[in-house]
Amino acid sequence: MRWKGRRVSTNVEDRRGGAGAKAGGISILGLVVAFVAWKFFGVDPQQAYQATKQVTSQSQSAETKGLDNPTPEQQEAMDFVGTVLADTEDTWTQVFQQQLNSKYIAPKLVMFSGVVNSGCGTAESAMGPFYCPADQKVYIDTTFFKDMRQQMGISGEQNSTELSRQDQAGDFAQAYVVAHEVGHHLQTLLGISDQVQKARAQSSTVQGNQLSVRQELQADCFAGIWANHNQQRTQFLEQGDIEEAMDAAHKIGDDYLQKRSTGQVVPDSFTHGSGEQRMKWFQTGLKSGQINDCDTFDQAI
C-alpha cells in the first residue's frame, strides 16, 4: 500500500504520552487471538465497556498527553493513521457531495496507550479499535496493529524488524481497520445507528445479534467504497493488498473465531458476521463504490 507523501489529517488526537492509567490485570498481549480478533472491527463500545467495567473501574484517569519524543516507529504509526484518516476525509467528502448532495462531517481519531476515557465510557486496549457515537470519535491503540500482525498472521513471515514498519505487508489490513470504524461514523451521520439501537432495544437477543451483524457488514461495505474511491484518487493499492484485506476479513469472521477458540460454531451468537459475509460485503463496496449498494438491512446477507 502506497501511503507516504500524502496529506496527514489534523483530526487526530494523540493521547499516547504521559503516565496513563493501567487497568488491572488485562493485557492485549495476554489475550487469545479469538478475543483480540472478535473485538477487531466494529466493537459495540457500550457493550464492551460493560464487559470490562469491573477491570477498568480500578483505574485512575486514563487521559494522557501526546508523546514528547516519539520513536521513529511511534511517529510512523501516527503518520500512517493520520494519512489513512485524511484519505477517508477526502473520499467521503467527495462521495457525500456526489451521491447524497450532502456535507460530510469528519470524525476525530484518538490514539491512546493502555486505557482511555471516551464518550462511551472507559476503554482499554483489549477492546481493540472502536467508534463511539456519543462523541463521534474513533479510538485506536496502535499497538493493536502489531498484535494483529503477530497473532493473526496477517503479515506473513516477516521478522521483528520488518514487523515494526508500517510500509510492510499488513498495512492495507490496518487501513481497513480505520476505514471500517469510520464506516460506523457514517452510520451515525446517516441516522442508521440510532435506528439500529432502537430496534435492538425492542428485540430478542438473537434478533439483536442479527441487527448487529447487518450493521457491521454495512461498515465493511463502506470500507470497500472508501478503497474504491481512494484508489481512483491516489492509486494507493499495490499487488496483494486486496487479498490481504480478504484474508483479514476471513480471519475476523465470527465462524472462524468461534471454531478456533471453542471448536464449535453458533450462528445465533454472531455479532459481526461470518468470514464469507465480511469478504462479500467489503467486495460489494469495493466493486460498486455506491452507498445505495451497501443496504445490508434490506438485502439478503
Side-chain angles (χ1 to χ4, degrees), residues 183-223:
H184 285 304
H185 177 64
L186 302 182
Q187 292 171 327
T188 295
L189 295 180
L190 297 173
I192 297 169
S193 296
D194 283 343
Q195 294 178 35
V196 172
Q197 185 177 4
K198 291 176 182 177
R200 290 184 65 183
Q202 301 173 0
S203 303
S204 67
T205 299
V206 172
Q207 292 171 330
N209 288 344
Q210 292 172 348
L211 286 168
S212 177
V213 167
R214 290 178 181 274
Q215 187 173 12
E216 296 299 330
L217 295 179
Q218 185 177 61
D220 282 334
C221 189
F222 287 161

Side-chain angles (χ1 to χ4, degrees), residues 40-41 148 152-154 170-177 217 219-221 223-228 237-238 240-253 255-256 273-287:
F40 182 23
F41 285 138
M148 181 183 75
M152 298 181 66
I154 287 177
D171 52 4
F172 185 64
Q174 297 165 30
Y176 180 13
V177 174
L217 295 179
D220 282 334
C221 189
I225 291 179
W226 163 76
N228 174 302
L237 293 176
E238 297 179 298
D241 280 347
I242 298 302
E243 291 78 7
E244 181 182 295
M246 291 301 95
D247 182 56
H250 169 66
K251 288 180 177 177
I252 48 82
D255 53 343
Y256 180 93
S274 69
E276 182 179 356
Q277 288 172 321
R278 304 203 71 165
M279 290 188 289
K280 169 190 171 181
W281 283 101
F282 175 81
Q283 289 177 317
T284 296
L286 179 65
K287 293 177 180 178

Side-chain angles (χ1 to χ4, degrees), residues 124-151:
E124 59 182 46
S125 299
M127 290 174 55
F130 69 96
Y131 171 75
C132 175
D135 58 18
Q136 298 191 13
K137 294 181 180 181
V138 173
Y139 291 83
I140 295 179
D141 184 333
T142 53
T143 59
F144 172 81
F145 291 146
K146 182 177 180 179
D147 296 325
M148 181 183 75
R149 294 192 298 266
Q150 292 177 329
Q151 297 187 35

Side-chain angles (χ1 to χ4, degrees), residues 2 52 93 190 236:
R2 305 179 187 91
T52 59
T93 294
L190 297 173
F236 77 121

Side-chain angles (χ1 to χ4, degrees), residues 18-93:
K22 295 182 179 180
I26 289 185
S27 167
I28 192 170
L29 292 174
L31 298 176
V32 294
V33 64
F35 181 74
V36 176
W38 176 52
K39 297 300 184 184
F40 182 23
F41 285 138
V43 62
D44 183 333
Q46 297 284 8
Q47 292 183 348
Y49 168 60
Q50 292 301 322
T52 59
K53 186 176 181 180
Q54 184 175 359
V55 175
T56 58
S57 64
Q58 303 301 317
S59 300
Q60 296 176 351
S61 172
E63 295 298 331
T64 59
K65 62 186 181 64
L67 296 171
D68 292 329
N69 297 295
T71 66
E73 181 180 354
Q74 290 169 331
Q75 185 59 52
E76 188 165 78
M78 183 75 165
D79 293 341
F80 174 80
V81 170
T83 300
V84 174
L85 185 64
D87 282 346
T88 67
E89 293 166 353
D90 294 341
T91 293
W92 288 112
T93 294

